[in-house]
Amino acid sequence: MRYTRAFIPTAREVPKDATMPSHQLLLRAGYIRMVGAGIYEMLPLGLRVMNKIAAIVRAEMDGAGAQELLMPALLPRDYFEESGRWSSFGPTLLRLTDRRGGDYHLGPTHEEIITDLVRREVKSYRQMPLNLYQIQMKFRDEPRPRAGLLRCREFMMKDAYSFDVSEEAAIRSYEIMREAYHRIFRRLGLEYRLVGADSGAMGGSTSAEFQVLAQNGEDAIVACGACDYAANVEVAEAVEPEGAPASASGPPEKVHTPGKRSIDEVVAFLGGGLTAARTLKSVFYLAGEAVVLAVVRGDHEVNEVKLARALGVSEVFMASDADVAAASGAQPGSCGPVGYRGRVIVDPAVTRVSDAVTGANETDYHLTHVAYGRDFEGEVRPIRQVGAGDACPSCSAPLAAYRGIEGGHIFVLGTHYSAKMGATFNDEDGQDRPIVMGCYGIGVSRLVATAVEQNHDADGIRWPMAIAPYQVLLTPIGKDDAPFELAERLYEELGALGVEVLLDDRRERPGVKFKDADLLGVPLRVTIGDRGLAEGVLELKARTAKDADKIAVEGAAARIAAAVKEQLG
RNA sequence: CGGGGCGUAGCGCAGUCUGGUAGCGCGCAUGGUUCGGGACCAUGAGGUCGGAGGUUCGAAUCCUCUCGCCCCGACCA
């Protein structure tokens, strides 16, 4: 492609509405434009990148035995009504009405539709295993679209669905997908972790996320440096605490702590070598109608997902100050489990804190020399959040904390949808049984932005070769015609070698061209100037490299093509 | 949905408090000089000041309503 003919609207200034690097750079470099909140146009460069990602996904899905199809995005109400999601999906479902008043929605995901297709056509165990996928726009009325392509109301997704005769067979399908996903993410050139995840609203027994590591990620994950353990902090397990059960050097003692509400304030106020780890944090939650007191060590945090699970409810809400006062008789910050007469959930680590400090259930007072077992009891359940420095549950090495962007999510669904929708098959014995399903998503458009989050510097994008919009950027510079003529020749030669080339044939000053080159992020730049030409050389520079290599004009095309191949791995 | 911020030329902004007929930088067009990291000079085009209503002799500016966008939170296969 010739730059003078290409639609690449670059901008020097940072768009004010963009805060994330990927959002800013994709806008500035002319890859995307915004139409509305969470709605974007993919400009030619952006589409090329997305198509490359999709091509890799397709190749690996096909290689894993999945077959591509395309379902409609516009869907009548009936299907979601059948599974119960017409109401349970809530306002996130983008609904619309046709001229006859019929209810429709735009598909946020396609379990119901594919299950309907399969129940009509798959009747025998002989037709399985079956894995069908599509790459298609998804629509969700997100409560808050943000961060450019990372959280959109309309986004490109690859969703695959597996159909099997048994749980064991379904797990095999799941594992095949998991391996295919590893290949996909590796080929995309992204640093990622496979992490244990919360199955959440999808229901189902097994699920894992492919988290692409990024500073700005929405998800918090922990990963072990020594083994391959990694998990979303929502589900990461804390190892059983070591050490002796809690004891105390004396009876509880009430101390005046005026106005000290947070753990940090109390620690600083009491001093004397007290650390947050020797205090107890008491947090009141509402689980339905009931008030529950959750107690964790002072330097730990309550994990609400785990707490909800321990209580057997779907979610918990932090109690208001008024609720806390009614339950404990004190302000938040002065509450504690000692003498508290309601339901208490205690994190295991709490049972090892000797001479603990905790709220006295009397505003502006705390208790010292408190010990679990002697001064209070409760239901011991793991409810704390795991963080950096915690021991790995599988090998005990310290865990590191990361932020990640969910790039893919795989689930074993079981018979959640098939049972509800009557998707059954005849087994070898002629018995009717529900099909066992799995589903597997990859956020294709999101990965465009994710790749930028992970591959950029102060000057612009640094695409991995595998997904770059072009592989080589030819940059003739200077006022003479010779560099441009050579660039034209190289352009032809490289094209013939199958290299994807962008030729910057603009008669711009060198600075302008270099700035745009760095911004666009094409992995290899070839600079052709009269200086080099006088010596019979041109410059080949990787976007990620500091300096350029001088290569001979003679045989340059082959050299460059080889460099492309090398970066493709 | 709660809290905060912002809508003025394609982009980034000033002007709004204190009402008087819209400005700067970048970009764009034309001519000239330049040419290895976003050049310079000259000339020029480009704006219903998000929208509607109101107050006023007069509204970008004051009042009311409304639409949109961003951030934090809630939420999130």
Side-chain angles (χ1 to χ4, degrees):
Chain A
M1 178 54 114
R2 287 182 161 74
Y3 204 118
T4 50
R5 304 311 320 150
F7 185 59
I8 307 176
T10 59
R12 191 191 302 223
E13 305 203 57
V14 179
K16 79 170 167 122
D17 284 343
T19 52
M20 301 267 290
S22 64
H23 193 192
Q24 295 177 341
L25 291 172
L26 288 170
L27 285 168
R28 281 189 56 208
Y31 285 76
I32 62 172
R33 283 294 182 266
M34 184 174 84
V35 171
I39 309 171
Y40 286 86
E41 291 157 332
M42 279 283 178
L43 272 37
L45 286 186
L47 183 60
R48 286 182 70 93
V49 173
M50 188 165 80
N51 283 342
K52 283 202 168 184
I53 293 172
I56 290 172
V57 170
R58 267 197 189 96
E60 293 298 339
M61 291 302 292
D62 293 347
Q67 298 171 70
E68 186 172 6
L69 51 60
L70 185 59
M71 290 181 267
L74 177 64
L75 299 164
R77 170 176 179 160
D78 314 25
Y79 301 94
F80 265 51
E81 198 64 78
E82 225 183 315
S83 70
R85 287 163 111 187
W86 182 260
S87 57
S88 73
F89 218 93
T92 304
L93 195 61
L94 200 52
R95 294 158 217 258
L96 36 110
T97 309
D98 74 0
R99 68 174 76 200
R100 281 188 287 270
D103 287 328
Y104 289 79
H105 71 277
L106 295 175
T109 174
H110 281 72
E111 281 79 10
E112 287 84 350
I113 324 308
I114 194 91
T115 302
D116 171 69
L117 173 66
V118 166
R119 77 176 159 189
R120 283 184 277 136
E121 309 301 338
V122 173
K123 290 282 135 205
S124 159
Y125 71 95
R126 296 172 189 276
Q127 294 169 278
M128 290 180 277
L130 178 65
N131 189 323
L132 300 169
Y133 77 97
Q134 63 175 347
I135 295 178
Q136 190 210 36
M137 278 299 180
K138 294 287 189 265
F139 299 85
R140 293 185 193 177
D141 192 355
E142 288 285 346
R144 189 181 151 208
R146 77 185 110 176
L149 254 30
L150 288 174
R151 181 162 293 276
C152 283
R153 288 143 89 188
E154 178 188 300
F155 57 98
M156 192 65 82
M157 173 162 152
K158 187 282 304 178
D159 48 324
Y161 305 89
S162 66
F163 302 89
D164 283 284
V165 298
S166 67
E167 185 78 20
E168 302 78 69
I171 288 170
R172 268 198 299 284
S173 294
Y174 174 86
E175 286 168 351
I176 288 169
M177 280 296 109
R178 190 181 60 209
E179 294 317 305
Y181 272 42
H182 276 301
R183 285 194 294 275
I184 290 167
F185 281 87
R186 261 199 303 267
R187 281 182 64 179
L188 293 175
L190 297 173
E191 195 185 344
Y192 70 97
R193 294 283 189 285
L194 174 62
V195 309
D198 183 26
S199 305
M202 293 300 295
S205 47
T206 307
S207 105
E209 295 168 348
F210 284 75
Q211 287 279 354
V212 179
L213 303 185
Q215 300 240 300
N216 292 305
E218 287 185 298
D219 297 315
I221 62 181
V222 287
C224 180
C227 71
D228 63 359
Y229 175 84
N232 194 307
V233 293
E234 286 173 11
V235 296
E237 305 158 38
V239 293
E240 280 293 310
E242 298 180 354
S247 62
S249 56
E253 197 176 312
K254 191 153 90 179
V255 295
H256 191 45
T257 50
K260 308 302 172 198
R261 290 185 55 146
S262 72
I263 295 285
D264 287 345
E265 285 167 0
V266 172
V267 167
F269 178 76
L270 293 177
L274 180 66
T275 60
R278 257 192 49 225
T279 66
L280 302 181
K281 186 180 289 181
S282 303
V283 191
F284 285 89
Y285 282 93
L286 298 177
E289 296 292 294
V291 175
V292 175
L293 173 58
V295 184
V296 296
R297 212 168 73 186
D299 58 329
H300 290 158
E301 298 293 332
V302 176
N303 178 323
E304 297 182 6
V305 175
K306 289 184 186 175
L307 178 63
R309 202 173 301 139
L311 293 167
V313 297
S314 58
E315 53 186 344
V316 294
F317 299 94
M318 202 177 285
S320 68
D321 287 9
D323 293 330
V324 173
S328 72
Q331 274 185 10
S334 297
C335 305
V338 180
Y340 176 70
R341 306 183 69 83
R343 187 170 182 190
V344 181
I345 308 290
V346 175
D347 185 75
V350 168
T351 67
R352 305 297 152 109
V353 183
S354 296
D355 283 311
V357 173
T358 181
N361 290 327
E362 184 178 340
T363 297
D364 290 343
Y365 285 93
H366 278 73
L367 296 175
T368 60
H369 302 298
V370 170
Y372 176 81
R374 186 190 72 177
D375 303 314
F376 69 98
E377 295 198 321
E379 301 163 50
V380 178
R381 296 284 171 71
I383 55 169
R384 77 171 173 96
Q385 187 118 321
V386 172
D390 270 313
C392 170
S394 74
C395 80
S396 299
L399 293 172
Y402 296 94
R403 298 208 65 86
I405 299 166
E406 185 182 348
H409 203 155
I410 55 177
F411 298 83
V412 176
L413 291 173
T415 56
H416 185 80
Y417 292 92
S418 54
K420 252 183 203 151
M421 298 182 63
T424 60
F425 69 99
N426 257 281
D427 67 13
E428 287 107 313
D429 304 321
Q431 297 298 306
D432 222 20
R433 287 172 28 199
I435 295 173
V436 185
M437 293 172 54
C439 74
Y440 318 93
I442 287 182
V444 177
S445 52
R446 170 183 279 186
L447 284 178
V448 175
T450 303
V452 177
E453 285 295 325
Q454 215 174 68
N455 298 285
H456 70 271
D457 61 18
D459 295 317
I461 304 173
R462 305 172 14 155
W463 291 111
M465 185 62 80
I467 59 175
Y470 291 95
Q471 298 168 327
V472 172
L473 175 62
L474 292 178
T475 312
I477 54 171
K479 56 182 181 297
D480 299 338
D481 287 339
F484 286 83
E485 284 161 8
L486 175 58
E488 287 285 347
R489 217 175 72 215
L490 274 175
Y491 180 60
E492 297 299 326
E493 288 175 21
L494 286 167
L497 289 169
V499 177
E500 298 164 356
V501 188
L502 179 61
L503 168 61
D504 191 349
D505 55 344
R506 296 176 299 170
R507 293 282 180 162
E508 282 286 355
R509 294 166 61 85
V512 173
K513 293 182 152 197
F514 292 150
K515 287 289 182 189
D516 274 336
D518 288 344
L519 186 57
L520 297 190
V522 173
L524 289 175
R525 186 180 87 201
V526 179
T527 306
I528 305 155
D530 39 13
R531 279 187 204 169
L533 242 41
E535 306 169 35
V537 298
L538 36 77
E539 295 161 35
L540 176 61
K541 180 183 171 299
R543 176 63 179 81
T544 52
K546 204 168 170 309
D547 300 305
D549 290 329
K550 290 194 166 140
I551 64 173
V553 169
E554 198 65 35
R559 254 310 281 284
I560 295 162
V564 170
K565 196 160 286 175
E566 189 187 318
Q567 280 200 27
L568 278 174

